[in-house]
Amino acid sequence: IAKNLHEQGVSPGEHVCLYLYNRLEYLYMYFGLAKLGAVAVPIDTRFTEETLLHILQEVDGETIVFDDNTRDQYEKVRGKQSAISAEYCIGSEDGSHQYKPFSQLKHDTSDISLSTSVRGVDPFSVVYVQQRQGSTPTGITLPHYAYVNTGWVVSENILKLSSDDSILTPLPLYS
């Protein structure tokens, strides 16, 4: 995923919007973006029209990945912001738009080399939070270290997990 995103023009530090429900491709994108050094912008699937447009305009990302469940909402704001030039759709295509298939990012790229250097302080995600319904969401930038440290602190110090333990979380990936 990282190699293919890079080949498609996504560079370290660039914002990539993820407007999806929970699915494996979400994880593929998270890990691919982390390896590449690009910045994930997970968008709450409850954000629609004005809120969605606000986020897309504010992050000024050139790439978005969405699925059949969020496509209708994305299409309502599509073209109202000028930055997005690469649109990847997960799911069936009805032919109304020529979105790039997500499978294009999953093909084997063993002949492509990718050399990146990601530091813990580099931004990894911009998570948008909304204080109350109808308010303008605020983007919070989290560095790579925040993800690693949070996982470590929770597993070691709070839950006191061992290698024999498993975790099941119902949390959405956009938060």
Side-chain angles (χ1 to χ4, degrees), residues 158-172:
I158 296 173
L159 300 177
K160 302 197 185 306
L161 298 176
S162 74
S163 60
D164 295 329
D165 294 315
S166 298
I167 297 175
L168 171 65
T169 177
L171 298 175

Side-chain angles (χ1 to χ4, degrees), residues 20-26 45 67 169-174:
L20 313 164
Y21 281 86
N22 288 357
R23 55 189 314 139
L24 281 175
E25 293 88 349
Y26 216 128
T45 54
D67 60 26
T169 177
L171 298 175
L173 295 171
Y174 59 76

Side-chain angles (χ1 to χ4, degrees), residues 51-104:
T51 306
L52 175 60
L53 182 59
H54 165 76
I55 293 168
L56 294 175
Q57 289 174 330
E58 187 168 285
V59 301
D60 201 31
E62 294 179 15
T63 303
I64 186 168
V65 180
F66 54 92
D67 60 26
D68 279 344
N69 295 313
T70 56
R71 184 170 77 175
D72 288 344
Q73 287 301 320
Y74 172 65
E75 288 179 348
K76 289 180 182 178
V77 300
R78 184 178 191 252
K80 294 182 180 178
Q81 36 59 44
S82 62
I84 293 180
S85 59
E87 302 163 311
Y88 292 91
C89 182
I90 301 169
S92 62
E93 290 283 330
D94 64 6
S96 64
H97 293 292
Q98 294 296 355
Y99 300 123
K100 295 178 181 183
F102 184 79
S103 59
Q104 189 178 74

